[in-house]
Amino acid sequence: MKVAILHEMLIKLGGAEKVVENFMKLFPDATIFTLIYDEKKCGKVFPREKISPQVWKSKTQKRYNLFKRQRFCLALMAISVENFDFSEYDLVICSSSWFAHWAITKPETKFVVYCHSPARYMWDWTNEYKRDLGLNSWWKKYFLKPFIERTFYKNRQWDLMASSRADLIIANSKNTSNRIKKYYRRESKILYPPVETQRFAKILEKNNFEKPFEKYYIIISALTEFKKIEIAISWFNELDENLLIIWAGDFRENLEKLTKKENIKFTWAKYDDELVFLVQNSSGLIFPWEEDFGIVPIEVMSAWKPVFAYKGWWLLETNIEWVTWSFFEDKSWKDFIEKFEIFHKNNLKNIYTRENCINQAKNFSQEIFEKNFLELISKI
């Protein structure tokens, strides 16, 4: 059986890319398709020789080679993914958050979509994206806003049409499954993403890593304007506890300017044992944004650490209240400090025990994911 694996962009190593990495383990001879590939950032996990030659001919890749910014490629993604030729493949496995599921396959080709999320900017976050783009400023309101709104409208039509192409849609959470049913009017199977639970639970022996503080909380995230990390920074500016922000992104410089105290530090992306070390020596994770499923909180629980986040979204599926996590409830974050101080005091009392965190994280292991994924695709 000849297999192709399709993923929107291989320009970072995040949670979605972990899923693609597991697909590669299941099908080591598969060819990888992507709309944008950055060998410098992803070549270690996704070697250049595994990438389809069609990728180098795509309009999105050519534009990315010129500008190195994915935003400049968005307008070309729909046509680029539909131009990929999968006629020689028996099975196409698609990892999609935006455009990948728009691919076209022959009737005899099995097309499986693992959906991380129906594109939020097209659907339930449309108004938030407009605000973040500043479309209400006077010149954007009259010149740019009409164009953006027409683009959203056309993309929603196209996205709905493309959602019918898959033979099987697998959702990464109940939350995503509900959104697929709402926007695409399709049923989906639920399969939580694979998490390297054993990696984060292992006891590190000798290492030369250094802690940034004696005690600290962590944020692990791509630093973009949509992650709401600036709100966490604003609150930690008023707290005495320390915060370490791990990763990189285009918004990092803006976030660094918001820090007012020495209790907040930034470090670049960390991998392998160094990341495990920083997580295991932290006091827990601060998770201030919405995801349809986030692998990081499960990784942190695997390292026997609790999570502090908003009470909602998919976290209600994966964490146990007052056992592995605590929360704030106001979407505008007004109760953040009040609830965080309660969480912090409980944390010092060891309310969120090591055993409970590890046992909960085991429910999302790579072994469970791989077994259930193969069972699902065997039935189509």
Side-chain angles (χ1 to χ4, degrees), residues 4-15:
I5 298 172
L6 169 63
H7 182 60
E8 265 112 9
M9 297 180 283
L10 290 174
I11 59 173
K12 63 180 179 63
L13 296 175

Side-chain angles (χ1 to χ4, degrees), residues 175-201:
N175 185 35
T176 297
S177 182
N178 290 337
R179 295 178 65 247
I180 289 169
K181 188 171 184 178
K182 171 75 173 180
Y183 300 124
Y184 297 158
R185 302 302 182 191
R186 288 201 59 174
E187 298 295 330
S188 58
K189 301 294 184 180
I190 298 169
L191 178 59
Y192 293 119
V195 182
E196 295 178 291
T197 53
Q198 293 181 349
R199 173 190 165 204
F200 282 85

Side-chain angles (χ1 to χ4, degrees), residues 86-249:
F86 295 104
S87 57
E88 62 179 288
Y89 295 94
D90 304 299
L91 171 66
V92 176
I93 301 171
C94 168
S95 164
S96 181
S97 302
W98 295 45
F99 298 97
H101 70 280
W102 293 21
I104 298 174
T105 60
K106 288 191 171 183
E108 60 269 24
T109 301
K110 299 300 182 183
F111 186 28
V112 176
V113 172
Y114 188 87
C115 184
H116 304 280
S117 173
R120 286 195 171 278
Y121 87 94
M122 293 185 203
W123 299 101
D124 46 333
W125 278 9
T126 297
N127 292 321
E128 285 84 347
Y129 272 83
K130 288 178 185 177
R131 285 195 294 269
D132 287 335
L133 290 170
L135 295 184
N136 291 324
S137 63
W138 73 270
W139 71 272
K140 289 183 180 180
K141 183 176 182 179
Y142 293 102
F143 296 102
L144 186 58
K145 188 176 181 180
F147 169 76
I148 294 293
E149 289 181 338
R150 283 196 302 271
T151 301
F152 283 167
Y153 176 72
K154 290 179 181 178
N155 281 349
R156 278 194 291 269
Q157 290 181 311
W158 207 336
D159 195 44
L160 177 60
M161 177 184 67
S163 69
S164 65
R165 296 174 182 172
D167 296 295
L168 170 66
I169 298 179
I170 302 174
N172 70 349
S173 66
K174 294 176 184 177
N175 185 35
T176 297
S177 182
N178 290 337
R179 295 178 65 247
I180 289 169
K181 188 171 184 178
K182 171 75 173 180
Y183 300 124
Y184 297 158
R185 302 302 182 191
R186 288 201 59 174
E187 298 295 330
S188 58
K189 301 294 184 180
I190 298 169
L191 178 59
Y192 293 119
V195 182
E196 295 178 291
T197 53
Q198 293 181 349
R199 173 190 165 204
F200 282 85
K202 72 179 181 180
I203 303 300
L204 297 178
E205 297 178 356
K206 293 182 180 179
N207 64 76
N208 297 317
F209 308 130
E210 294 183 1
K211 294 193 295 183
F213 306 99
E214 183 58 33
K215 294 184 180 295
Y216 60 94
Y217 287 92
I218 54 172
I219 287 177
I220 305 174
S221 170
L223 305 183
T224 70
E225 60 265 50
F226 303 116
K227 295 293 188 178
K228 308 302 180 187
I229 297 172
E230 69 277 8
I231 305 179
I233 290 174
S234 70
W235 286 123
F236 268 84
N237 280 330
E238 300 183 25
L239 293 166
D240 294 326
E241 281 68 42
N242 300 314
L243 177 66
L244 178 66
I245 301 172
I246 304 172
W247 223 256

